[in-house]
Amino acid sequence: MELSVVMPCLNEAETVETCVRKTIGFFEDSGIDGEVVIADNGSTDGSQQLARDAGARVVPVIDKGYGNALMGGIRAARGRYVAMGDADDSYDFATLGPFLDELRDGADLVMGNRFKGGIAEGAMPPLHRYLGNPVLSFVGRLFFGSKIGDFHCGLRAFDKDAILRLGLQTGGMEFASEMVVKATLQGYDIREVPTTLSQDGRTRAPHLNTWRDGWRHLRFLMLYSPRWLFLIPGLVFMTLGLVAGIALSTGPVTVGEIAFDVDTLVGASAALVIGFQAVLFALLTKVYAMQEGFLPHDRRVQKVIDWWSLERGLLLGGLLAVAGLAGLVASLLHWRVNSFGELDPRHSLRIVVPAATALVMSFQAIFASLFVSILGIRRRQHPPLTDPAEEAAGVVDAAALKVARDEAEEAEKAAEGDVQADDAATADEREKVAAGKAGATAPEDGGEDGR
């Protein structure tokens, strides 16, 4: 079978029959060997029977959620290619021809683009049309280098085996983003086809929740991009904190009529620590994601991991700790000079804050190095250990087997020689018998001649 059209369904009695009949009509008109799979997510309005009567195959999916329903239908699909779309009659399944043409041409994933194909009046809320979808699609393109203009179009088609290899996990509306993100990270051939979005045929409210599902999409995009979630913000915080800390460590800094002093120094220290922690989180997240297969292998990250050994991390943490302890000793000496009395914070904090910052960062570096080493243990695969006694027993068994084979071969050769000797003796006896008969016949012949 070439094409399976999968539709998630949850109480779509008003429109599911129409969608199924349109799709089957498209199959017949185009001469396509296809099927319609309704992934039912627990409908209670009779949608299942309506779909069956229209010619669809209904697959029940117990786990609730848009993504769960679709994955259940995709796994149950029998076609080489799968197209997915909502069962609310907002998409015209008779326009799947261009999607199928792109798949036949070698595409792995073909996305619909509603902004290029057209959005009917009232088909999409203004908040989704002008803010939600454009912003989330822009974030997806920025974070992952994708060229897709409409990340969340519900009408799309793909090679079934290629999509199953992605190991899609999300069960909600963010499933739409996960498919595009993982396909992009794996270097799949992704193409777009203009698609028209019509007003759906339902009288009830849609299942989509604007803020909840919008946040789930954004959260997924951020979690799958440690660079934008941790690394870039961390580097910004570290840079600001380091520059401000160095400038304020020697004295107040005045910009125009604004004076920055030790209070700003404390804030700069916090920014430096937070930024350093975020950068470490970016590295740890990337290592773990690569280890578990959530993100593809990154050679640049691998080079950092190979360089950042446990020993180097401990050395860096040790140097920071020494610097911090030296600062604390200097602060004690400064306190002693003042007879251990009250100190001027504008002077004492310029020693204590950098020292405390160095101590905090030293422990961050040490703990991060230990954790990276733990992840490294999981990444390495050591050869299995062998027991010397078992290995020696194996050698003895092999030698005994070889001796037994040699003895068997010699026995076979000896048996063959005996058979040949018996055959030769039998042949000699036959020759003797034949000669005796010939001798007995010869005198009789002679007597007849004399008479």
Side-chain angles (χ1 to χ4, degrees), residues 57-81:
R57 181 164 60 93
V58 178
V59 176
V61 181
I62 298 176
D63 296 332
K64 299 296 183 181
Y66 176 76
N68 290 326
L70 279 170
M71 281 307 302
I74 292 169
R75 291 192 181 99
R78 298 167 180 166
R80 176 185 176 186
Y81 304 122

Side-chain angles (χ1 to χ4, degrees), residues 117-350:
I119 301 174
E121 188 69 25
M124 184 183 294
L127 184 62
H128 297 182
R129 182 173 183 176
Y130 299 109
L131 180 63
N133 277 295
V135 169
L136 290 175
S137 296
F138 169 76
V139 171
R141 291 192 296 271
L142 177 65
F143 283 12
F144 305 100
S146 173
K147 298 180 180 179
I148 298 301
D150 188 0
F151 253 62
H152 309 107
C153 182
L155 187 63
R156 58 187 71 180
F158 44 82
D159 184 289
K160 177 184 175 181
D161 292 338
I163 292 301
L164 289 179
R165 284 197 300 270
L166 294 177
L168 304 177
Q169 300 292 325
T170 53
M173 290 292 182
E174 67 273 25
F175 177 86
S177 296
E178 182 186 14
M179 180 182 293
V180 181
V181 168
K182 285 191 172 181
T184 301
L185 293 175
Q186 293 296 332
Y188 279 12
D189 184 354
I190 307 175
R191 307 178 191 180
E192 271 192 324
V193 171
T195 301
T196 301
L197 179 68
S198 303
Q199 192 168 1
D200 65 66
R202 301 172 298 194
T203 57
R204 63 166 176 80
H207 299 300
L208 179 68
N209 183 289
T210 299
W211 298 107
R212 179 197 65 195
D213 293 317
W215 163 245
R216 293 178 72 166
H217 279 286
L218 180 60
R219 179 184 64 183
F220 174 83
L221 294 175
M222 293 175 66
L223 292 177
Y224 258 78
S225 180
R227 177 190 304 172
W228 289 93
L229 180 61
F230 295 120
L231 182 62
I232 293 178
L235 291 175
V236 171
F237 270 79
M238 281 187 65
T239 302
L240 292 176
L242 186 61
V243 171
I246 293 174
L248 294 169
S249 61
T250 56
V253 175
T254 303
V255 179
E257 297 181 354
I258 302 175
F260 299 95
D261 207 338
V262 290
D263 295 336
T264 307
L265 178 62
V266 174
S269 171
L272 181 60
V273 171
I274 292 171
F276 187 59
Q277 184 68 67
V279 172
L280 293 178
F281 267 37
L283 177 63
L284 297 175
T285 303
K286 191 74 172 181
V287 173
Y288 175 77
M290 289 166 52
Q291 169 73 21
E292 296 298 327
F294 297 144
L295 295 176
H297 189 269
D298 192 326
R299 287 181 295 179
R300 292 173 297 182
V301 175
Q302 188 62 50
K303 288 181 180 179
V304 174
I305 297 171
D306 293 339
W307 178 84
W308 189 329
S309 62
L310 176 60
E311 292 74 16
R312 285 193 173 96
L314 295 177
L315 177 61
L316 174 62
L319 293 175
L320 288 172
V322 169
L325 291 174
L328 292 180
V329 171
S331 67
L332 289 175
L333 294 176
H334 175 70
W335 191 22
R336 180 184 177 186
V337 169
N338 290 272
S339 302
F340 298 103
E342 185 178 356
L343 297 174
D344 184 356
R346 290 178 299 175
H347 298 293
S348 61
L349 286 180
R350 285 192 171 85

